[in-house]
Amino acid sequence: MQEKRVRIKSEEKRKQIIDAAGSLFINSGFEKVSMEEIAKSAGVSKQTVYSHFGNKQQLFTAAIDGKCDEYDLAPGKINRSMHCEEYLVSFCMHLSALLTSEDAIGMFRVCVAEAGRSEVSELFWEAGPGKIRSQLANYLAEQNKLGLLNIVNIETAAAQLISMIVCETQFRSVLGLQKNRSDTELKEYVSHCAQMFYKAYRS
């Protein structure tokens, strides 16, 4: 029982650190944030931060991983009991919700601002977009083997679907402009994209 309480407390502190770091990265950028600032914002010691994360890069990656998990886009979140079309619609809905969230928009702006000056863009790509695309590609390959889809180039197909979801609404949000679609209209658009993709590649 004692061991379980210690583990839960450790997990709670880890989440505190990740949440604090995510907010600081978005508000101040990756380069300017120190591990000491993260510890202070999280309300823990610097030693506690380092006991969970070896360096700032690991912490940044964990923050991105956490957001993917929150929106059911982590590698272990694939629901294989769903019909292929239903899963693709669900995947695209979650991806769209993530892309248009304030945290994702803020993090994307940080990457653009620090492009070429720090490793933040590469870290972001590997932990976020790259991992999500790889997960989708693996799922499409599985559906291909099951005979439910007929895709010649898996990587191209995955890129096509994601490119449809990374739409004008998300781009306008990054630029600080008003959304060109309501939430309802965006969901309808995303659902249509997933259904169109499925119809194009179904066996």
Side-chain angles (χ1 to χ4, degrees):
M1 184 65 72
Q2 179 65 26
E3 185 180 339
K4 184 179 180 180
R5 281 199 295 266
V6 171
R7 186 174 67 251
I8 291 173
K9 190 173 181 181
S10 177
E11 289 172 356
E12 288 175 349
K13 283 190 176 181
R14 187 177 190 278
K15 189 178 185 307
Q16 279 178 236
I17 295 166
I18 291 174
D19 289 345
S23 296
L24 287 171
F25 288 140
I26 290 170
N27 293 324
S28 304
F30 178 77
E31 280 189 311
K32 293 180 180 179
V33 175
S34 68
M35 294 290 267
E36 189 173 350
E37 287 177 284
I38 293 169
K40 185 177 180 181
S41 180
V44 299
S45 68
K46 190 175 177 181
Q47 183 180 357
T48 299
V49 174
Y50 276 109
S51 70
H52 287 276
F53 305 97
N55 52 50
K56 192 167 66 170
Q57 289 81 355
Q58 288 181 11
L59 187 43
F60 182 84
T61 297
I64 302 300
D65 281 340
K67 279 298 166 186
C68 291
D69 187 63
E70 183 182 327
Y71 285 85
D72 289 333
L73 292 167
K77 293 286 186 174
I78 295 178
N79 186 347
R80 289 177 173 80
S81 66
M82 297 173 75
H83 181 271
C84 181
E85 182 179 12
E86 184 184 4
Y87 174 77
L88 291 173
V89 171
S90 175
F91 171 87
C92 291
M93 287 291 189
H94 287 296
L95 178 58
S96 176
L98 171 62
L99 291 173
T100 54
S101 68
E102 289 186 10
D103 286 344
I105 295 298
M107 199 63 78
F108 188 79
R109 287 173 178 160
V110 168
C111 292
V112 172
E114 297 190 17
R117 294 190 293 106
S118 75
E119 59 192 319
V120 66
S121 294
E122 185 176 353
L123 291 171
F124 175 77
W125 181 265
E126 289 179 357
K131 191 173 288 184
I132 290 171
R133 180 173 168 173
S134 177
Q135 173 188 320
L136 175 60
N138 289 338
Y139 176 79
L140 295 178
E142 287 177 7
Q143 299 305 299
N144 240 20
K145 288 181 179 178
L146 291 171
L148 297 174
L149 297 177
N150 183 18
I151 302 174
V152 175
N153 191 316
I154 296 293
E155 292 298 327
T156 295
Q160 287 171 335
L161 182 56
I162 290 175
S163 294
M164 284 193 287
I165 306 307
V166 183
C167 63
E168 184 181 352
T169 300
Q170 190 251 0
F171 189 45
R172 287 179 66 87
S173 297
V174 171
L175 296 174
L177 301 175
Q178 188 175 356
K179 291 181 180 180
N180 64 324
R181 290 186 175 96
S182 67
D183 289 342
T184 299
E185 289 171 332
L186 183 58
K187 287 179 180 178
E188 288 176 355
Y189 166 78
V190 169
S191 179
H192 178 70
C193 287
Q195 290 166 352
M196 184 172 65
F197 178 90
Y198 174 73
K199 289 175 182 175
Y201 284 113
R202 67 183 175 185
S203 294

